[in-house]
Amino acid sequence: MKQLQLNTPRLLIRNLRTEDLNDFHYYRSNPEVIKYQGSDVMNLEQAAGFIERMKDKSFGTPGEWVQYAIIDKATKRLVGDCGIHIHLQDRRIGEIGMTISHDHQQKGFAKEAFTALLTYLFETENLHRVVETVDAENNASIQLLKSMGFRQEGHFIENIFFKGKWGSEYQYAMLHTEWNTRKP
Ligand SMILES: CC(C)(COP(=O)(O)OP(=O)(O)OC[C@H]1O[C@@H](n2cnc3c(N)ncnc32)[C@H](O)[C@@H]1OP(=O)(O)O)[C@@H](O)C(=O)NCCC(=O)NCCS
């Protein structure tokens, strides 16, 4: 059992806790925030159920997404959440998801959290590759990946029926060797 805890200058990444519920529900119930995500808006009960399912999960079960809290250490409040998925067939491949509350976007929090996650995945867990699939209209997310030094590998055209219409996606990836030359 390995419960993840990562510190950055401003943030703490740890398992979600029951006490995070109100802050979590606040942005996870905002249609703009979840517009490009697989999940839908959550009511309070759904948000509580989600935290309950996540709060005791340990890192690294292949095929499973674990969603973690992103805490602003200055206020001790939840400002977003991030997920890690380890590939079912090969645990040297991972994927990261990131959501920052609409009240806290464009302050560099996603980049700071992403950097800590990549440092952990590549340098502690020795992953070979991190891959990201992003909606082609999700400009904030695309900018985040470019800013992190991810390399675009694919552009899939109307490959996914998503929230009532066909959507297109980009695939980005970073190899461990690329991280070694691109890390901030
Ligand atoms: C994508 C998201 C996580 C970015 O979070 P954030 O904390 O605002 O991002 P940061 O402040 O760390 O910015 C990272 C980079 O992206 C750029 N960026 C962030 N939001 C942007 C926007 N709306 N438009 C253009 N660029 C943007 C920043 O300028 C920065 O680039 P730089 O390093 O070159 O200066 C946030 O917009 C979000 O939670 N969106 C909704 C959820 C979502 O769609 N998640 C992705 C799918 S899983």
Side-chain angles (χ1 to χ4, degrees), residues 90-103:
D90 193 327
R91 68 171 327 284
R92 295 167 298 182
I93 300 173
E95 188 177 352
I96 293 170
M98 184 76 57
T99 307
I100 301 293
S101 167
H102 45 286
D103 281 357

Side-chain angles (χ1 to χ4, degrees), residues 55-116:
K55 69 184 176 52
D56 296 320
K57 279 202 191 292
S58 49
F59 169 84
T61 306
E64 185 175 78
W65 274 101
V66 184
Q67 216 73 22
Y68 296 96
I70 303 175
I71 306 294
D72 178 355
K73 292 198 283 199
T75 61
K76 298 189 169 43
R77 298 275 298 268
L78 184 86
V79 292
D81 58 90
C82 54
I84 303 178
H85 176 251
I86 299 296
H87 200 282
L88 183 61
Q89 270 85 35
D90 193 327
R91 68 171 327 284
R92 295 167 298 182
I93 300 173
E95 188 177 352
I96 293 170
M98 184 76 57
T99 307
I100 301 293
S101 167
H102 45 286
D103 281 357
H104 297 285
Q105 291 179 1
Q106 301 205 56
K107 297 178 182 175
F109 282 161
K111 200 169 171 181
E112 195 166 316
F114 226 109
T115 303

Side-chain angles (χ1 to χ4, degrees), residues 13-15 28 33 46 51-52 63-64 68 72 85 88 101 108 118 153-154 158 171 173 177 179-180:
I13 298 170
R14 56 145 173 83
N15 275 67
R28 283 278 180 169
V33 173
Q46 289 165 327
I51 290 177
E52 192 57 35
E64 185 175 78
Y68 296 96
D72 178 355
H85 176 251
L88 183 61
S101 167
L118 289 177
E153 291 192 328
E158 297 197 4
Q171 181 169 298
T177 48
W179 169 252
N180 290 339

Side-chain angles (χ1 to χ4, degrees), residues 10 27-28 32-38 65 67 81 96-102 104-114 132-135 138-148:
R10 292 181 295 171
Y27 64 86
R28 283 278 180 169
E32 274 305 305
V33 173
I34 56 88
K35 189 171 175 185
Y36 298 114
Q37 297 189 324
W65 274 101
Q67 216 73 22
D81 58 90
I96 293 170
M98 184 76 57
T99 307
I100 301 293
S101 167
H102 45 286
H104 297 285
Q105 291 179 1
Q106 301 205 56
K107 297 178 182 175
F109 282 161
K111 200 169 171 181
E112 195 166 316
F114 226 109
E132 301 290 325
T133 305
V134 59
D135 191 298
N138 189 351
N139 186 44
S141 214
I142 293 164
Q143 294 313 315
L144 170 65
L145 293 171
K146 283 184 178 168
S147 167
M148 291 300 306

